[in-house]
Amino acid sequence: MADIIQLLPDHVANQIAAGEVVQRPASVVKELMENAIDADATTIKLIIKDAGKTLVQVIDNGKGMSETDARLSFERHATSKIRTADDLFHLHTKGFRGEALASIAAIAHVELKTKQEGDDVGSMLIMEGSHVVEQNVVVTPKGTSISVKNLFFNIPARRNFLKSNTVELRHVIDEFQRVALAHPKISFAMYNNGSEAFNLPISNYRQRIVNIFGTKTNEKLVPVEEETEVLKISGFVGKPEFAKKTRGEQYFFVNDRFIKSPYLNHAITSAFDGLLKSGNHPSYFLYLTVNPQTIDINIHPTKTEIKFDDEHTLYALLRSAVKHSLGQFNIAPVLDFERDPSLDTPYHFTKKETSTPAIEVDRSFNPFKETYVSGKQTTAFKQQTLSNWDSLYVGLESKGTKTEHDFSEVHFESAEFTPSIFKDDTQVNQTQTTYQLHNKYIVSTIKSGMLVIDQHRAHQRILYEDFLKNLTIKEGVSQQLLFPLELHFSSQEILIINQLKEDLVHTGFVFSNVTNESIEITGVPVVVPESEVSIILEQLIGDVENEVPDSNFSATDLLAKSMAKSLAIKRGQSLKKDEQEHLVNALFACKEPNVSPENRTTFITMSVDELDKKFI
Ligand code: ADP
Ligand code: MG
């Protein structure tokens, strides 16, 4: 029988390899930026069009390539970065596989311009699907510019697989930020469809983080520093009070390379034990330096996962370094017996000499002088009464609600047990139609038996339908804020808010000023309390980021769901009787009362028959 095995032609092999390296425009961004860094560039510009689907261009001022190297760089396994397998364990570059350019050229139109220092002219090369279309000399500045156009032009299936521009742009920005965060000594700029998205001057780690995530970030950062024989840690963790519901800002860099590591992430989370509200995630920007011999980066084609020789030690070191920092900045829980007691005294007090307490006497005081009494003294008195009055009022108010709260609980218990034993049933039904069970469920009677409603899910359904209605008829009622509310976000978050702005306005939000790191709000929907605004927007941004967008991705729906989730009464919240009744009525006025917007059961029923069976 004839032999049937053939070697695949290079362009086919390259296309297959490309599948591993290039999943989307963001992968191209990553590879090109990493090459620029490996070429010792100090300035790197990223230019994209249509979220990178039409164009990804990276311009650097690095060392450039010779004419021959320019041609060779597009061959598979062509690299200047390693020569022997042994070199893999002494890596100081991002790349080493020699696959990126070959893969990219197999699935896009590529134009390369490059010049080395000292050369008069540079080289230009145009590639189309692995073939050289043109090679020429060109006048170009020192460094390299690579444009990647029409990604996946020859693989329509892959092109169709790309997500919306919004989603792809988000991936591009993610990659850009990861690379920029790891290299503050390089200046970066990014332009999206002709407008500047980021401009990051040479700086240090802290400034780079602040330049990317907004000026407000500065006050949230707690430095972490630790140096041992196996590991050097530096960077920052976010103060616990700023932790978010989303996992957004969690960055590990190992030897300047962004990596993902659920294991090390766990080390950080556990260092935050007891400091975070449940469901909140700490933010961190941690830069680890280890001996390259102790890691293996080779296990993942996109190089975002690495293998450590001694993961357990890293875990312990990282955890204790973060714990230590949190403790030093006095963020640890009050009862922490491991804490250094000297930290309890503010630094400037430990150094202060003790002095004898002295009594200050006001020698000019004359109790009989009238002006004195009506002057200074009276003001002091006035202030005191005022604050007393204030606190009295507050006390009264909270006392009031407390009694009511207690009362409703007592009332509930007696309604549940006493009447059924001592009074006749009909009477109970007349006075008590709903009961709240464990501040979680509303129990009510229906003709066939009993109804149990999950208060949180039910309220979500009610709010959701309400918001959806406002969004579609586009006339949410707005309440004017007394003072405009200024909220700070990262530029990526602002991008998301901008996309949803029109919908947010329909629900009743009024925006007066949106910059690329803050927004000013002058009006909010009537149902939204001012104190909740930032939580709602944060939740919304998180939801948009986590949503796996598909064809039926609808911003309107997401917005309604997200706001309903934030604003719905929580489990554990006690409800007055009229609130309970209102909830039941409003739920059954909904179009789809049976399920929450997230498709979870809102209520169950139990018929008298079923109950009867339980008593056999
Ligand atoms: P790798 O980065 O793994 O070596 P690539 O396919 O990304 O493989 O690049 C191949 C080679 O092309 C690199 O080893 C480098 O010598 C050269 N090269 C790529 N991009 C640049 C650049 N921006 N400046 C200088 N040389 C570059
Ligand atoms: Mg490379």
Side-chain angles (χ1 to χ4, degrees):
M1 222 168 115
D3 297 334
I4 51 168
I5 298 181
Q6 291 176 14
L7 275 179
L8 287 174
D10 264 358
H11 70 275
V12 179
N14 283 343
Q15 266 195 15
I16 295 170
E20 266 191 16
V21 184
V22 185
Q23 279 105 30
R24 49 172 26 117
S27 334
V28 176
V29 168
K30 174 174 190 283
E31 295 297 337
L32 296 187
M33 286 181 68
E34 290 191 345
N35 279 347
I37 290 166
D38 286 346
D40 299 326
T42 53
T43 301
I44 299 176
K45 268 189 199 144
L46 168 67
I47 297 166
I48 58 166
K49 282 202 183 119
D50 299 330
K53 291 175 185 170
T54 315
L55 173 74
V56 175
Q57 182 178 15
V58 172
I59 306 171
D60 69 54
N61 65 349
K63 61 185 174 206
M65 284 180 263
S66 71
E67 194 187 335
T68 326
D69 281 354
R71 174 67 195 88
L72 257 182
S73 67
F74 289 100
E75 291 298 318
R76 204 141 65 96
H77 307 309
T79 178
S80 56
K81 297 169 194 172
I82 57 168
R83 287 178 193 275
T84 66
D86 201 36
D87 290 344
L88 273 176
F89 299 98
H90 307 281
L91 272 180
H92 290 286
T93 53
K94 307 265 166 223
F96 55 86
R97 300 165 68 108
E99 278 180 334
L101 289 189
S103 302
I104 293 168
I107 48 160
H109 297 140
V110 179
E111 189 182 308
L112 164 78
K113 282 182 192 165
T114 185
K115 187 171 89 79
Q116 289 179 306
E117 181 114 62
D119 286 353
D120 290 337
V121 285
S123 318
M124 192 260 267
L125 200 72
I126 297 181
M127 310 270 305
E128 233 167 69
S130 289
H131 302 292
V132 182
V133 178
E134 194 186 327
Q135 181 159 17
N136 231 324
V137 286
V138 68
V139 178
T140 178
K142 177 207 159 200
T144 306
S145 154
I146 302 187
S147 312
V148 177
K149 296 175 191 162
N150 310 322
L151 192 68
F152 299 130
F153 78 99
N154 51 358
I155 318 178
R158 296 288 302 278
R159 201 174 162 85
N160 293 339
F161 193 69
L162 292 179
K163 301 283 198 285
S164 69
N165 282 3
T166 319
V167 176
E168 294 300 341
L169 179 63
R170 217 167 66 212
H171 286 291
V172 168
I173 292 176
D174 275 347
E175 288 300 349
F176 176 84
Q177 290 180 339
R178 288 168 183 175
V179 175
L181 282 171
H183 297 277
K185 294 290 168 233
I186 299 177
S187 80
F188 290 92
M190 175 177 158
Y191 303 86
N192 174 31
N193 288 337
S195 59
E196 182 181 280
F198 291 94
N199 189 348
L200 310 170
I202 291 178
S203 56
N204 57 25
Y205 284 132
R206 185 187 268 268
Q207 286 166 334
R208 181 52 58 94
I209 295 168
V210 169
N211 283 338
I212 291 180
F213 295 102
T215 29
K216 276 273 159 165
T217 320
N218 199 20
E219 68 192 70
K220 304 180 188 173
L221 301 177
V222 179
V224 181
E225 296 290 339
E226 184 75 79
E227 189 156 2
T228 70
E229 272 181 20
V230 287
L231 170 73
K232 180 175 175 292
I233 306 171
S234 62
F236 305 89
V237 291
K239 289 183 188 161
E241 64 263 38
F242 296 110
K244 292 185 178 177
K245 289 251 178 285
T246 53
R247 281 178 187 278
E249 292 154 16
Q250 301 189 328
Y251 296 88
F252 276 123
F253 301 91
V254 175
N255 298 355
D256 296 340
R257 191 190 291 280
F258 169 83
I259 60 141
K260 290 179 186 155
S261 168
Y263 184 67
L264 295 186
N265 175 63
H266 191 268
I268 312 289
T269 324
S270 79
F272 272 85
D273 251 2
L275 294 174
L276 296 177
K277 270 191 256 158
S278 82
N280 279 7
H281 302 282
S283 59
Y284 53 83
F285 307 86
L286 292 167
Y287 300 87
L288 318 187
T289 314
V290 297
N291 183 338
Q293 287 184 358
T294 64
I295 49 172
D296 181 0
I297 318 168
N298 214 1
I299 53 170
H300 199 269
T302 57
K303 298 170 268 179
T304 49
E305 279 164 37
I306 64 178
K307 214 171 105 224
F308 297 97
D309 276 359
D310 189 359
E311 232 174 15
H312 295 302
T313 311
L314 288 194
Y315 184 100
L317 286 173
L318 204 55
R319 180 168 183 269
S320 87
V322 172
K323 250 187 142 147
H324 184 76
S325 292
L326 291 173
Q328 279 218 320
F329 280 80
N330 237 345
I331 308 169
V334 184
L335 278 179
D336 188 348
F337 294 109
E338 284 165 13
R339 208 168 91 200
D340 182 355
S342 71
L343 291 171
D344 288 339
T345 318
Y347 184 70
H348 57 279
F349 278 120
T350 54
K351 293 273 161 90
K352 214 172 175 178
E353 296 235 330
T354 45
S355 56
T356 331
I359 303 165
E360 273 181 36
V361 182
D362 183 355
R363 290 179 197 282
S364 64
F365 176 65
N366 179 353
F368 302 104
K369 214 173 157 188
E370 236 187 292
T371 44
Y372 191 85
V373 180
S374 59
K376 200 171 167 189
Q377 186 73 17
T378 340
T379 343
F381 172 72
K382 252 191 200 156
Q383 259 165 14
Q384 206 187 2
T385 33
L386 196 72
S387 70
N388 266 353
W389 174 83
D390 219 343
S391 67
L392 260 178
Y393 179 74
V394 171
L396 199 75
E397 191 186 44
S398 65
K399 249 193 207 142
T401 39
K402 184 88 191 122
T403 6
E404 216 165 65
H405 180 142
D406 287 347
F407 173 74
S408 83
E409 266 169 18
V410 173
H411 192 57
F412 158 67
E413 300 238 326
S414 63
E416 167 95 340
F417 301 107
T418 336
S420 53
I421 300 170
F422 298 110
K423 294 182 186 168
D424 79 39
D425 236 37
T426 44
Q427 203 189 343
V428 180
N429 260 334
Q430 267 166 18
T431 56
Q432 196 84 30
T433 51
T434 59
Y435 314 106
Q436 193 180 20
L437 190 63
H438 285 267
N439 287 342
K440 206 153 101 183
Y441 299 106
I442 313 285
V443 183
S444 184
T445 48
I446 45 172
K447 225 169 161 190
S448 65
M450 182 175 89
L451 172 75
V452 184
I453 298 174
D454 180 319
Q455 65 185 44
H456 177 61
R457 289 182 190 173
H459 198 212
Q460 269 194 51
R461 161 57 62 184
I462 298 162
L463 291 176
Y464 169 71
E465 293 202 0
D466 207 37
F467 288 136
L468 213 54
K469 199 167 70 203
N470 284 344
L471 281 167
T472 35
I473 58 171
K474 304 197 188 306
E475 53 183 40
V477 188
S478 176
Q479 57 175 329
Q480 189 81 19
L481 294 178
L482 214 47
F483 301 103
L485 195 65
E486 194 186 351
L487 299 172
H488 292 262
F489 292 100
S490 72
S491 41
Q492 185 172 354
E493 291 169 334
I494 296 277
L495 205 85
I496 295 174
I497 292 181
N498 268 328
Q499 274 159 16
L500 299 171
K501 208 169 136 198
E502 200 185 326
D503 284 332
L504 284 167
V505 169
H506 291 319
T507 60
F509 279 97
V510 182
F511 297 93
S512 57
N513 191 16
V514 181
T515 71
N516 58 3
E517 61 175 35
S518 69
I519 57 173
E520 200 178 71
I521 297 174
T522 51
V524 295
V526 211
V527 285
V528 175
E530 189 177 337
S531 56
E532 296 278 320
V533 174
S534 73
I535 300 168
I536 289 173
L537 291 180
E538 214 175 81
Q539 168 92 50
L540 180 66
I541 290 166
D543 284 348
V544 174
E545 283 184 327
N546 295 331
E547 178 81 0
V548 188
D550 48 29
S551 50
N552 48 34
F553 169 83
S554 141
T556 321
D557 192 62
L558 191 66
L559 180 65
K561 263 189 202 157
S562 188
M563 287 189 22
K565 196 157 69 187
S566 309
L567 288 169
I569 46 167
K570 305 280 177 293
R571 300 195 177 100
Q573 189 170 331
S574 112
L575 297 176
K576 291 190 215 129
K577 212 170 103 47
D578 54 338
E579 291 170 334
Q580 299 170 21
E581 277 168 8
H582 180 75
L583 191 92
V584 178
N585 293 335
L587 177 67
F588 289 101
C590 282
K591 285 193 192 132
E592 254 184 280
N594 315 35
V595 287
S596 76
E598 276 150 342
N599 240 343
R600 303 230 177 83
T601 310
T602 48
F603 67 86
I604 54 159
T605 55
M606 192 178 264
S607 66
V608 178
D609 284 351
E610 281 168 277
L611 279 172
D612 285 347
K613 280 191 202 128
K614 295 209 183 284
F615 286 101
I616 288 171

